[in-house]
Amino acid sequence: MQPKVIRDAGERPLVLFSDSSGIVADKTFLQRSLLFAELAMIAYNDEAEVTRAAAEIGFPDVTFFNNRGAQAFRFRNRHNSVIACRGTEPNEWTDIRADVDAVSVLAETAGKVHRGFKREVDNLWPMLETSLMNNKQPVYFAGHSLGGAMAKICASRCLLSHISTNPQQLFTYGSPRVGNRSYVKFVTIDHYRFVNNNDVVTRVPPIWLGYQHSGYEIYFNRNGDIKQYGYLMKRRDRWRGFLKELVRWKVDHIGDHSIHRYCENLVKAVLAEKESIAAGGEPYTPCKLTIAPPDAPH
């Protein structure tokens, strides 16, 4: 894969590896995962840079939605449509308020959801729904951090709305818990939830407030490899990851949350898969034996 580098003065360059030409469903699972992670990463940038970056990986049609600080992009080409919600920006008060407002309230669908996340989606959904009402393409939802939580709620509303196309899949990276057990059980979407080792955001809001994760967990271990671990093995791996970074005077609970770290891990996974296929192996298939509920303690 040849990297595409998008540079903007004073900002970290965007290094992109995806190619969205063709139908997304025809790509391997890991290729799709990387594509949506890169779109979630792109979504943190200003509209002009997002448009440039999206065009580089095959999305010439970009629409920006912004209402009261809640933001998302629609990426579209001949074959696919993707809604990527922007995650938390530390200098945006509305994002911080959304993150900390963890009171659960009735969802638009069923059960209860995080009030701060719901408020962000309430601000955006009328615009998103209008833009998707006449959509004829497969539509996917993606997001990182707060954006992952918003993407989950948006995909749920899309599923139960008058929009003609149901969400194909939902990919979230470093997403917090969004709703309670009733919400998780009622909203059935093909959801893949990526967790990078000690990413602290994936452990909030706490279970004792009634929140649960949803979707199929894809876990990156301390070395950035996808592993299917049980509860005890995961705790052991997280301790090793913590100690590995501690000797470098770093706390990986924050560093592991970076969307760049998720993208780097997925680039490595896609390259390894490519080598495996060339040697006669099979593409990676996620294990769906353990869907989120009941949520194991972290």
Side-chain angles (χ1 to χ4, degrees):
M1 298 187 298
Q2 292 298 319
K4 310 168 189 71
V5 182
I6 311 298
R7 302 184 186 278
D8 195 14
E11 295 188 13
R12 179 175 180 172
L14 289 173
V15 182
L16 308 171
F17 291 85
S18 294
D19 177 6
S20 66
S21 60
I23 299 171
V24 166
D26 292 340
K27 298 182 181 299
T28 70
F29 173 79
L30 289 178
Q31 289 171 340
R32 270 176 282 150
S33 302
L34 176 59
L35 171 63
F36 296 133
E38 290 188 340
L39 290 175
M41 176 176 66
I42 289 170
Y44 279 102
N45 294 274
D46 62 69
E47 187 175 0
E49 188 173 4
V50 168
T51 301
R52 286 170 49 213
E56 283 290 329
I57 60 175
F59 283 103
D61 185 356
V62 177
T63 305
F64 181 45
F65 303 95
N66 182 13
N67 186 26
R68 299 180 182 178
Q71 299 164 331
F73 287 90
R74 178 181 179 176
F75 301 100
R76 187 167 58 175
N77 57 23
R78 290 176 52 224
H79 304 288
N80 313 289
S81 187
V82 182
I83 300 294
C85 297
R86 179 178 282 175
T88 301
E89 295 182 285
N91 59 341
E92 288 288 341
W93 164 242
T94 54
D95 290 354
I96 297 171
R97 184 180 65 168
D99 289 337
V100 301
D101 188 3
V103 174
S104 60
V105 294
L106 289 174
E108 297 291 320
T109 49
K112 291 186 176 182
V113 293
H114 185 289
R115 183 167 64 185
F117 303 157
K118 179 181 181 296
R119 182 171 55 242
E120 293 287 282
V121 174
D122 287 343
N123 289 333
L124 274 183
W125 182 245
M127 293 185 290
L128 292 176
E129 185 176 33
T130 299
S131 75
L132 292 171
M133 194 59 70
N134 297 316
N135 179 68
K136 303 299 182 184
Q137 302 160 316
V139 59
Y140 298 84
F141 289 82
H144 168 256
S145 192
L146 167 63
M150 292 169 61
K152 166 67 177 177
I153 299 175
C154 285
S156 303
R157 292 190 185 182
C158 179
L159 184 67
L160 299 175
S161 73
H162 296 295
I163 296 170
S164 58
T165 51
N166 286 331
Q168 298 295 304
Q169 290 178 319
L170 165 66
F171 285 72
T172 60
Y173 309 86
S175 174
R177 299 182 180 98
V178 176
N180 66 1
R181 184 178 180 84
S182 297
Y183 178 77
V184 168
K185 288 180 65 178
F186 182 80
V187 181
T188 54
I189 297 173
D190 197 15
H191 175 196
Y192 299 94
R193 178 174 53 83
F194 289 79
V195 176
N196 184 33
N197 194 239
N198 275 315
D199 184 345
V200 68
V201 174
T202 64
R203 308 188 201 183
V204 296
I207 295 172
W208 52 264
L209 283 180
Y211 288 94
Q212 289 195 349
H213 270 308
S214 62
Y216 304 102
E217 181 180 282
I218 312 294
Y219 176 74
F220 293 114
N221 72 359
R222 67 189 185 280
N223 298 317
D225 300 319
I226 294 175
K227 295 293 182 180
Q228 184 72 30
Y229 286 156
Y231 172 66
L232 292 178
M233 280 293 293
K234 192 182 296 181
R235 283 190 64 87
R236 182 181 180 185
D237 180 64
R238 282 174 163 162
W239 268 108
R240 288 181 171 181
F242 172 72
L243 294 173
K244 177 182 176 182
E245 292 300 306
L246 191 62
V247 298
R248 304 175 187 173
W249 298 99
K250 295 181 180 179
V251 179
D252 66 342
H253 292 69
I254 304 301
D256 283 353
H257 183 59
S258 168
I259 184 59
H260 296 277
R261 193 77 61 86
Y262 280 91
C263 289
E264 289 164 4
N265 290 345
L266 282 165
V267 168
K268 183 170 73 168
V270 168
L271 290 173
E273 178 186 59
K274 185 177 180 180
E275 292 181 4
S276 174
I277 293 173
E282 295 292 326
Y284 170 82
T285 302
C287 176
K288 291 189 174 183
L289 295 178
T290 53
I291 194 166
D295 203 349
H298 294 298

